[in-house]
Amino acid sequence: MPETFAPRPYQQAAIDKLTEGWRGGQNRLAVVLPTGAGKTVVFANLIAAMLPVASGRPLVIAHREELLNQAADKIRAVNPHLRVGIVKAEKNQHLDVDVVVASVQTLAVERRRRDIADIGMAIVDECHHAAAPTYMEVLDHFGAWRGLPAAGFTATLTRQDGGLAEVWQDVVFRMDILDLIASGHLVDVKGKRVVVPGLDLDTVHTRNGDLADGELGTALEESGAAKIVSEAYLEHAADRPGVIFTPTVASAKNMAEVMTDAGIPTGTVWGAMPKDERAATLARYQAGDLQVLANCMVLTEGFDAPWTSCAVIARPTKSAGLYIQMAGRALRLAEGKKDALLLDVMGASTRHKLASIVDLTDRKIAAPKDGQTLTEAVDEEEAQGFQIGEVEWADVDLFHNSDVHWLQTYRGTWFIPAGDTSYFLAPGSQPGQFLIRSWTKQTGQIRLAPDPDEEQPQELAMLRAAMFAKRRAAHLSLKDTRWRTAQPTSRQLGLCRYRRIKVTPGWTAGEVADALDIHTASAAIDQWVEAAAAA
């Protein structure tokens, strides 16, 4: 076996866990490895280990051409003596080969899958898709529910619902990204927020558990996000090759156009793009003619460009799995590469809990400070004696279920508007502890709330802040007041025009008031919280 493809210790551990599980009577088993951990190396070596004892040929199933080609190439590199055939569209190389690598779309055609005989093991790449009916039908045909050894590989098996638990009986091996960073197999990562003031994510509906792509793309374009992203890229990543993830083709093209105009050569790729054009664009990125690739969610899987050191998440998401797929494109090792940078595009949101850099690890940690790497954040918490895995700065459900109308500043501080005065929760010295502060719009002053200056648990701090807000202006701070459902006033709309706050047609008076409150409170409160943290 070539030395470069000998399995690393953790890769061998994954292989051992799979074979042990199969011997123990479970046949549909999954392995979760972060992007860049070398899952194709794992299953290529798994094939080598299983060939002497398997009852038939290995079948590798994937859903994209890039994944098929990568799998075939890696299997040949690890096992040069094996004949590897690809079954996809016009290709039908399943006769007289030792390993079959096939597209799930092609195997969905009954005639095509019936042609392939003598399968003794199935491997599913990006197996978080396996609950889809097509995968289930294909796996059932080859015997996955009748004892055929089956292994699934992914970076993002984060759900136990949605049918995945019916496909995979157990996750036998899981590697955390922090472990791979610590062992030097991935680069460390840091994140920066790119705040787009006009991007109101509360206007975007949720479909299938995540923000609707079309609405999100429109919101990004109308808010002028591309210009702000280009400015942030020039400030923080001017010397980095990168990828931008967007929800629609139109928003990807818009990003590329604005970035290029700003002096950052940027190309665009998308799923329905002609193959030759897409290959040419990727080649230009590899050659350095393009510094950045903007894409409509096609580079989340099967994209191998280890020199990439910046990922722009211009597709805010509620899915930790999707965030991991996007961010992982920038974490691979490359010569001269020291770390990765994530630029998270943020908008105003009180209804959505969005994935962020902390979702890259299974350990629960507080969000890193601006510019701090993930491992630096963990080291700091450990130095302060915090118990990794038990850190919770805020229980978001408590805010959403309160009778008081809590809002969030652009940088995430929770506050209650009560007329000229707003009450907000400032982070305490330890996770779960908060201080209550008030901000007065007219004077701009931030003061102690009328209470002893003591850190309090979140629920108690919320109750006290709500009490102060109700005393001052209950009709403005409660969720169910009648005025919130009325039509916005001309004064409200005039203030929005003056402050360049985009108002979506159909907004109520309450929704317009929220946009105004968030806009005016964010500058003062966010600056104060940042200064207090640095002090």
Side-chain angles (χ1 to χ4, degrees), residues 260-291:
T260 300
D261 289 344
I264 309 164
T266 302
T268 312
V269 292
W270 63 94
M273 188 178 191
K275 284 184 184 179
D276 55 345
E277 292 182 24
R278 183 170 164 182
T281 302
L282 293 173
R284 290 181 65 202
Y285 179 61
Q286 183 172 6
D289 297 331
L290 294 173
Q291 184 179 348

Side-chain angles (χ1 to χ4, degrees), residues 2-235:
E3 183 65 29
T4 53
F5 295 117
R8 298 167 180 167
Y10 69 85
Q11 293 171 333
Q12 185 60 53
I15 294 169
D16 293 342
K17 286 294 184 182
L18 284 168
T19 55
E20 288 172 15
W22 287 336
R23 288 196 299 267
Q26 289 184 307
N27 68 298
R28 302 189 309 278
L29 302 174
V31 168
V32 178
L33 291 172
T35 301
K39 58 182 170 55
T40 50
V41 172
V42 176
F43 63 68
N45 281 280
L46 174 66
I47 287 171
M50 289 297 295
L51 275 175
V53 297
S55 60
R57 301 180 294 174
L59 170 66
V60 178
I61 303 170
H63 71 294
R64 284 193 179 159
E65 184 172 3
E66 293 91 346
L67 296 173
L68 294 171
N69 293 334
Q70 285 179 21
D73 290 345
K74 198 70 69 178
I75 293 166
R76 294 187 187 106
V78 171
N79 308 282
H81 62 286
L82 293 181
R83 295 166 297 173
V84 181
I86 294 178
V87 174
K88 180 188 183 298
E90 70 283 355
K91 287 186 178 180
N92 204 27
Q93 304 167 349
H94 62 86
L95 298 175
D96 299 321
V97 297
D98 303 301
V99 182
V100 179
V101 179
S103 157
V104 69
Q105 293 90 343
T106 299
L107 295 180
V109 179
E110 184 176 4
R111 173 182 55 81
R112 298 294 295 271
R113 65 175 178 262
R114 287 191 179 279
D115 285 345
I116 302 173
D118 190 28
I119 296 301
M121 175 176 65
I123 293 172
V124 181
D125 198 3
E126 304 296 351
C127 71
H128 54 282
H129 297 295
T134 301
Y135 278 89
M136 300 272 278
E137 187 175 16
V138 169
L139 287 169
D140 181 50
H141 169 83
F142 288 105
W145 275 266
R146 298 184 301 278
L148 179 83
F153 292 85
T154 181
T156 59
L157 196 63
T158 57
R159 296 181 295 138
Q160 287 302 312
D161 57 354
L164 282 173
E166 297 177 18
V167 180
W168 306 113
Q169 295 164 296
D170 195 10
V171 176
V172 293
F173 187 83
R174 186 186 294 270
M175 193 77 173
D176 192 85
I177 194 170
L178 284 170
D179 297 322
L180 288 173
I181 292 172
S183 63
H185 293 118
L186 293 178
V187 297
D188 205 353
V189 57
K190 58 187 176 182
K192 286 186 176 293
R193 292 183 173 192
V194 179
V195 179
V196 181
L199 178 60
D200 184 0
L201 297 178
D202 283 352
T203 64
V204 179
H205 291 89
T206 297
R207 294 200 183 104
N208 299 319
D210 203 358
L211 301 179
D213 287 340
E215 292 182 25
L216 184 56
T218 299
L220 283 165
E221 292 179 67
E222 292 182 349
S223 67
K227 183 176 185 299
I228 294 173
V229 167
S230 66
E231 292 170 351
Y233 208 98
L234 284 170
E235 181 179 356

Side-chain angles (χ1 to χ4, degrees), residues 326-341:
M326 292 187 286
R329 299 302 116 189
L331 269 61
R332 295 178 185 272
L333 297 177
E335 185 177 354
K337 181 174 171 181
K338 295 180 179 179
D339 59 21
L341 174 65

